[in-house]
């Protein structure tokens, strides 16, 4: 079905196609979509931070910035949904055009610039959601107003946290948006430490010990040990008791793309997502898993379009996964396809549950399993 719709959608400018798709999502009969996309297998059950996930495939932040269509994403079979990024104050984002498809790379470049309705309006909307939906992550970011600096920037983050915390199963601090200077203010390890101090204090004042995750940029270098900032971020996160990493956000890199250089130049600045990000993000997952000795769970995101892509990230150390761009290229059926393929890969390798496979690439006990893992890792090398 999506193979018929996609060429029509791709005729439209990407943001218009996105808005139409979104409109359809908001009015779609979720009973019908959930019966079409239903798939479950207990090998995919994940339990993390005291939360049950019926499967590890989540919707990445940025598609549903204002939490407008959560029941629809649930009906596609996502195991969890992350909304946002949301800032304390509403923000219009960058001027259009700000979203571009790169079909030759199954990729997207965006410079949306953190457009969102602001924490209070989104909280009012999320407060009306029915019970029984999959776990909800809420991704917050500093209001991208350059006038909000230093202490005020931390207060801004605190305000969003306070407004949204009671509605979330986990909170993500987005410190890695490449599309505004402000989006990255807190990726600096010193600034991150200050932010985490403030947010963990704020958390201590709430009733719930909600998990706090930090979303990072994909690595700038092939060899991550060249990037000293990542090691500092890991140690700050460990010291401040961060509950998880999301690895990672979109990239400003343009290396090795099939899209012609003049097209890329015409598009200009923005964050790259989709297939070209896949191995870069898997490398970051592996590095974070090793550096934190598996102590900090990781949500792996970047270029996941197949079960093999998903499995490579699990073996590298991701406990949960998210996707966005493959929905644009493959359509909503991609979630079910990845889930059923991943269940088969896990069972074939002798795992009874996904938990056993997290970071298992180095210590698979059975020779057959190691061979399979090596095949999958080779795909991502
Ligand atoms: C159009 C677009 C908007 C995005 N907006 C956000 C955002 O507001 N906050 C955020 O943390 N990530 C945002 N992301 C990044 C995604 O959550 C994800 O990290 C990235 O796209 C890599 O995953 P993918 O290759 O499956 O798309 C956005 C991505 C795209 C394509």
């Amino acid at each position: 079905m999506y193979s018929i719709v996609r060429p029509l959608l791709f005729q439209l400018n990407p943001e218009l196609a996105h808005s139409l798709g979104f409109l359809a999502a908001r009015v779609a009969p979720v009973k019908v979509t959930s019966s079409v996309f239903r798939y479950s297998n207990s090998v995919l059950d994940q339990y993390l931070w005291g939360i049950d996930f019926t499967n590890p495939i989540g919707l990445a932040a940025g598609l549903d910035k204002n939490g407008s269509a959560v029941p629809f994403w649930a009906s596609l079979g996502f195991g969890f949904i992350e909304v946002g990024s949301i800032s304390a104050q509403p923000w219009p984002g960058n001027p259009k055009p700000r979203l571009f498809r790169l079909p030759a790379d199954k990729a997207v470049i965006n410079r949306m610039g953190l457009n969102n309705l602001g924490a209070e309006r989104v909280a009012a909307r999320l407060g009306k959601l029915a019970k029984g939906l999959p776990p909800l992550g809420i991704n917050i970011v500093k209001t991208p107003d350059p006038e909000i600096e230093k202490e005020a920037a931390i207060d801004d983050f605190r305000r969003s946290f306070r407004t949204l915390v009671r509605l979330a199963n986990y909170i993500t601090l987005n410190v890695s948006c490449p599309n505004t200077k402000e989006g990255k203010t807190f990726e600096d390890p010193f600034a991150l430490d200050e932010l985490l101090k403030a947010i963990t204090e704020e958390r201590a004042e709430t009733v719930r010990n909600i998990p706090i995750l930090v979303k990072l940029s994909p690595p700038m270098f092939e060899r991550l040990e060249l990037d000293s900032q990542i090691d500092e971020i890991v140690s700050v996160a460990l010291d401040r008791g961060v509950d998880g990493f999301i690895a990672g956000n979109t990239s400003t890199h343009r290396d090795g793309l099939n899209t012609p250089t003049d097209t890329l130049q015409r598009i200009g600045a923005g964050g790259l997502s989709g297939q070209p990000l896949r191995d870069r993000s898997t490398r970051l997952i592996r590095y974070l898993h090793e550096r934190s000795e598996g102590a900090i769970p990781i949500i792996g995101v970047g270029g996941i379009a197949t079960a093999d892509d998903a499995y490579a990230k699990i073996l590298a150390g991701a406990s949960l996964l998210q996707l966005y761009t493959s929905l644009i290229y493959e359509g909503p059926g991609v979630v079910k396809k990845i889930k059923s393929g991943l269940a088969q890969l896990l069972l074939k390798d002798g795992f009874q549950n996904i938990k056993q496979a997290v970071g298992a690439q180095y210590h698979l006990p059975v020779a057959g399993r190691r061979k399979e893992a090596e095949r999958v890792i080779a795909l991502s090398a």
Side-chain angles (χ1 to χ4, degrees):
M1 173 71 175
Y2 191 69
S3 56
I4 302 167
V5 176
R6 194 179 90 160
L8 301 174
L9 282 176
F10 275 32
Q11 296 287 317
L12 305 172
N13 97 47
E15 198 161 344
L16 179 60
H18 177 274
S19 306
L20 283 179
F22 216 85
L23 195 67
R26 289 181 70 168
V27 298
V30 292
K31 275 208 176 105
V32 177
T33 42
S34 53
S35 72
V36 174
F37 297 112
R38 182 171 302 141
Y39 176 85
S40 70
N41 192 319
S42 60
V43 74
L44 299 178
D45 290 353
Q46 177 60 293
Y47 180 76
L48 204 60
W49 308 305
I51 306 167
D52 281 314
F53 295 85
T54 56
N55 75 75
I57 311 297
L59 177 70
L63 181 50
D64 195 353
K65 288 176 185 282
N66 299 307
S68 331
V70 175
F72 175 72
W73 310 121
S75 79
L76 299 189
F78 281 110
F80 63 109
I81 293 146
E82 186 165 316
V83 297
S85 293
I86 303 158
S87 50
Q89 295 175 28
W91 195 252
N94 290 324
K96 294 176 188 172
R98 52 190 181 176
L99 184 62
F100 308 86
R101 290 183 214 103
L102 275 52
D105 290 293
K106 290 201 167 180
V108 160
I109 289 177
N110 93 84
R111 52 170 174 273
M112 302 301 289
L114 298 167
N115 53 311
N116 77 97
L117 295 175
E120 264 147 50
R121 273 186 72 187
V122 179
R125 178 176 285 166
L126 295 177
K128 293 191 194 127
L129 285 178
K131 299 259 174 288
L133 290 165
L136 183 73
I138 301 187
N139 177 312
I140 59 175
V141 73
K142 175 192 168 285
T143 304
D145 178 346
E147 308 236 311
I148 305 176
E149 291 184 285
K150 300 191 177 116
E151 286 300 300
I154 290 186
D155 282 348
D156 182 90
F157 246 117
R158 272 181 109 123
R159 212 175 107 198
S160 300
F161 183 86
R162 215 176 303 135
T163 310
L164 292 159
V165 63
R166 72 193 157 82
L167 300 158
N169 294 101
Y170 70 83
I171 294 277
T172 302
L173 307 178
N174 179 8
V175 295
S176 51
C177 175
N179 294 320
T180 66
K181 189 178 150 290
E182 286 65 41
K184 276 182 179 272
T185 310
F186 289 101
E187 204 168 37
D188 166 76
F190 181 76
L192 181 65
D193 189 49
E194 298 278 295
L195 175 66
L196 288 173
K197 180 170 174 286
I199 295 290
T200 44
E201 271 169 22
E202 193 67 44
R203 172 172 65 179
E205 287 168 24
T206 64
V207 190
R208 298 171 52 211
N209 198 21
I210 189 144
I212 294 172
L213 279 60
V214 176
K215 184 162 180 179
L216 301 173
S217 297
M220 291 304 283
F221 303 102
E222 285 288 310
R223 289 173 49 217
L224 275 103
E225 54 277 23
L226 296 181
D227 189 343
S228 63
Q229 188 159 303
I230 291 195
D231 286 345
E232 287 176 58
I233 288 172
V234 172
S235 76
V236 165
L238 283 166
D239 289 349
R240 290 281 172 205
V242 160
D243 299 278
F245 287 121
I246 302 195
N249 216 319
T250 55
S251 171
T252 49
H253 261 265
R254 300 288 188 264
D255 299 346
L257 297 180
N258 300 319
T259 305
T261 315
D262 59 331
T263 309
L264 294 172
Q265 273 163 357
R266 255 200 319 277
I267 291 172
L272 176 74
S273 61
Q275 203 176 63
L277 208 62
R278 185 189 63 186
D279 300 343
R280 213 172 262 280
S281 97
T282 306
R283 275 202 298 279
L284 177 62
I285 293 162
R286 191 173 296 139
Y287 193 81
L288 290 170
H289 185 73
E290 282 170 13
R291 283 294 149 125
S292 67
E293 296 177 350
I296 304 189
I298 300 163
I299 299 182
V301 50
I304 299 175
T306 66
D308 276 337
D309 301 338
Y311 194 34
K313 283 186 169 45
I314 302 270
L315 292 172
S319 296
L320 293 169
L321 304 166
Q322 292 177 330
L323 56 85
Y324 179 164
T325 304
S326 61
L327 271 180
I328 298 172
Y329 285 96
E330 313 296 329
V334 73
V335 185
K336 181 173 176 179
K337 196 183 85 190
I338 293 174
K339 287 193 300 185
S340 64
L342 181 61
Q344 277 166 30
L345 286 169
L346 288 162
L347 292 169
K348 195 163 123 227
D349 282 353
F351 295 115
Q352 277 121 29
N353 180 264
I354 187 169
K355 244 190 157 72
Q356 299 163 338
V358 172
Q361 76 180 72
Y362 296 115
H363 35 79
L364 287 176
V366 184
R369 283 197 215 164
R370 175 173 289 280
K371 219 164 144 221
E372 177 61 16
E374 275 163 5
R375 185 186 69 79
V376 175
I377 290 158
L379 286 174
S380 79

